[in-house]
Structure formats: structure tokens, C-alpha cells
Amino acid sequence: MGDVDTELRTARLSLRRPSPADIDAVYRIHTDRQACAHNPADLLASRTEADDRYRNWDAHWQQHGFGYWAVYRTGADAGCPLGFCGVKFVRLQGRAVLNLFCRLDPPAWGDGVATEAAAAVAGWAATHRPADLLVARVHPDNTASRRVAERIGLRRAPHWDTDGEDGPDLLFISVRPDDTDPPA
């Protein structure tokens, strides 16, 4: 596993490994239809499902030493999590990749928080997991997520597009010479 970063810091944010205290935020955000509008399969129906989601995230941390971080404002604005952002291993077209995930509470939208958090996570991945392909799966109608992926340097890769749980996913990938060819 190596040395892990359980906290990432930016100018305005602290990204921390989620703890059981964050389960209320998992529930709040993942029961919000607006927050999950482009990925309704991620909606939760109960607090038990939020507990399960947290346990799955924590198991990924325990197994790999990284995962999703809870996103907090720093300083006087600190309080409950604004959302969650991080990476986890998924299989995509027969290959293990790092899937970038970012889901924020709608009141946190529009202030650059998603870009700032995703950039911190992408920087962490480039430093700590440079051999792993970073991907962002974006629903075609989700222009905000598309902009975030582009702002953090991911490139559109139509040859990686796939069907997700909620329909087609447009793929954005970290660019390295060995990632420009379509998957086998």
C-alpha cells in the first residue's frame, strides 16, 4: 500500500478520508435527486444504504490505501462535508482503471469546489498512482462534469465510451502515450 495521504489540502478545501461521522452527509447528498440527477442509480433509499455505501468506501481505503475523500471547506467556513471526491479501482473494458468520482451537495455548486477538489485528487493520482489510467465517466447531458474533467486536464476519449448504469458514459482520460490507443 505504501505511504497514504488521508488528507489533501487546497487553497479553500480539506479533503479527508471519510469517517463514520460523514455517513449523515453520504445519506443527505445521495438522497438528493438534484445531486444524483445524471446518475439516478446512485440514489439511496435508506440510512442503511448510506451505511453500506460508507462501508464499501472504507473497504476500498483499507484494501488500497486510497479512495473517496470527504470534501470540507477550510477555516471559518468549515462544517459538514460539501460532498465527496476521489478515485477507486473499477474494471473498464477489461482493464483496471482509477475512476474519478465527484458528488457535491447542490448548495456547493457553482463556486469551483468540484474543479478544485477534482484537481487535488487528479494531482494525487498522478503522484501516487502514475501507472494507473485516470478516467472520468460523464453522462452526455452533464455539462458541468464535462467542464470539470476538461479543466483538470482530462481529454475526451470516444474510443473508451461505454454504457453505465444510467445509460451512455462519455469518457475523459488522463493522457499518456500508452493510453491513446483504443482498449483491446
Side-chain angles (χ1 to χ4, degrees):
M1 232 174 355
D3 189 28
V4 298
D5 291 324
T6 58
E7 183 176 9
L8 306 177
R9 296 188 70 76
T10 71
R12 302 179 300 159
L13 304 174
S14 170
L15 284 72
R16 307 175 201 158
R17 179 179 176 171
S19 72
D22 297 316
I23 295 172
D24 287 338
V26 172
Y27 181 71
R28 181 183 77 249
I29 294 167
H30 288 89
T31 56
D32 186 310
R33 292 199 178 282
Q34 186 179 7
C36 297
H38 297 288
N39 302 100
D42 287 348
L43 278 167
L44 299 177
S46 69
R47 169 66 188 219
T48 299
E49 289 180 356
D51 291 337
D52 292 343
R53 179 138 323 152
Y54 165 76
R55 279 196 295 281
N56 288 337
W57 292 357
D58 191 57
H60 192 279
W61 269 96
Q62 289 177 34
Q63 183 176 359
H64 300 289
F66 64 89
Y68 296 160
W69 284 268
V71 179
Y72 289 85
R73 289 201 189 275
T74 58
D77 291 335
C80 63
L82 302 173
F84 301 90
C85 186
V87 290
K88 73 174 183 177
F89 280 118
V90 299
R91 301 259 343 139
L92 187 62
Q93 298 186 19
R95 179 176 175 180
V97 299
L98 291 177
N99 185 70
L100 177 65
F101 170 84
C102 189
R103 174 146 309 123
L104 299 177
D105 205 358
W109 293 359
D111 190 26
V113 171
T115 300
E116 192 171 333
V121 170
W124 178 91
T127 299
H128 296 280
R129 306 294 307 189
D132 293 314
L133 180 65
L134 178 65
V135 304
R137 298 180 299 174
V138 178
H139 189 276
D141 295 337
N142 194 341
T143 56
S145 288
R146 180 184 203 130
R147 282 193 305 268
V148 168
E150 291 168 343
R151 286 179 182 146
I152 68 168
L154 300 183
R155 300 273 172 85
R156 182 75 177 90
H159 57 278
W160 278 87
D161 289 353
T162 188
D163 286 327
E165 291 180 65
D166 296 303
D169 285 331
L170 305 180
L171 269 285
F172 293 78
I173 65 170
S174 54
V175 178
R176 299 179 315 212
D178 62 331
D179 295 325
T180 57
D181 295 325

